[in-house]
């Protein structure tokens, strides 16, 4: 059956969210199934296209962003949708970018998908850039990554 919420309770919840700038996310579903909490066992936490967050966002699991974030993002895995936008620092084990990023990306694995627009410095262990992805910024391997030595660095150029 359908659940009806009290109209006054809905209005109070909307006023509280607007006043504090926070979104209320359920941690348990009414059906007894795990809610969308973004933990390692469940589905990703989804930030929809109608959501704009000013401030930092942190999740323990997978974060799927279709909205806009003005601030830092930290999660185990971050997927930025085609219409998503992040203006700030991204820190994760894995980052998949379809949308717009301005700032910096720090991740073990980074994948730039065709059509993404990235104006950021990228610090990575593994970097994959698809044809048609746009990147403007510096690319650096993370400290502690297996370094590849430049064979020409040890030899002086003799003319």
């Amino acid at each position: 059956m359908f659940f009806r919420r009290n109209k006054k309770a809905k209005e109070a919840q909307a006023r509280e969210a607007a006043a504090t700038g926070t979104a209320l996310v359920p941690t348990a579903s009414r059906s007894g199934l795990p809610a969308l909490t973004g933990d390692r066992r469940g589905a990703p936490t989804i930030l929809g296209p109608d959501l704009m967050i000013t401030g930092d966002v942190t999740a323990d699991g997978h974060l799927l962003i279709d909205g806009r974030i003005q601030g830092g993002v930290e999660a185990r895995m971050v997927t930025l949708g085609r219409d998503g936008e992040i203006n700030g620092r991204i820190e994760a084990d894995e980052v998949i970018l379809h949308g717009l990023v301005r700032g910096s990306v720090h991740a073990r694995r980074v994948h730039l998908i065709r059509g993404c627009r990235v104006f950021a410095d990228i610090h990575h262990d593994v970097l994959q850039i698809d044809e048609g992805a746009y990147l403007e910024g510096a690319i650096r391997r993370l400290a502690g990554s297996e370094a590849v030595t430049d064979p020409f660095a040890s030899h002086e150029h003799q003319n």
Side-chain angles (χ1 to χ4, degrees):
M1 214 56 203
F2 295 101
F3 292 98
R4 291 190 180 189
R5 294 194 53 156
N6 183 341
K7 185 176 180 182
K8 288 183 182 179
K10 273 187 177 179
E11 290 172 355
Q13 186 179 12
R15 280 193 304 275
E16 180 182 342
T20 63
T22 60
L24 303 176
V25 179
T27 57
S29 68
R30 294 180 182 174
S31 66
L33 297 173
L36 300 179
T37 60
D39 67 359
R40 294 177 193 256
R41 300 171 306 231
T45 299
I46 300 171
L47 303 179
D50 58 340
L51 184 64
M52 179 177 170
I53 296 176
T54 301
D56 295 339
V57 176
T58 303
D60 290 333
H62 184 183
L63 192 56
L64 176 58
I65 302 166
D66 287 322
R68 294 182 304 171
I69 296 178
Q70 298 284 345
V73 175
E74 185 176 342
R76 184 178 49 82
M77 181 175 182
V78 174
T79 301
L80 180 64
R82 187 179 333 142
D83 297 324
E85 180 180 332
I86 298 173
N87 292 298
R89 179 183 172 106
I90 301 172
E91 266 191 68
D93 288 336
E94 184 172 357
V95 175
I96 300 171
L97 302 174
H98 296 265
L100 173 63
V101 176
R102 293 184 193 96
S104 64
V105 177
H106 297 258
R108 211 172 43 73
R109 299 179 59 84
V110 179
H111 187 178
L112 306 183
I113 305 293
R114 177 186 195 112
C116 75
R117 297 164 323 279
V118 178
F119 302 89
D121 293 343
I122 297 178
H123 302 265
H124 66 90
D125 277 339
V126 177
L127 176 63
Q128 180 178 351
I129 303 175
D130 290 353
E131 183 178 345
Y134 181 84
L135 169 63
E136 185 174 317
I139 300 172
R140 304 268 189 266
R141 290 186 62 84
L142 290 172
S145 297
E146 184 179 316
V148 176
T149 58
D150 182 357
F152 297 109
S154 62
H155 302 291
E156 290 186 37
H157 290 43
Q158 298 177 10
N159 293 343

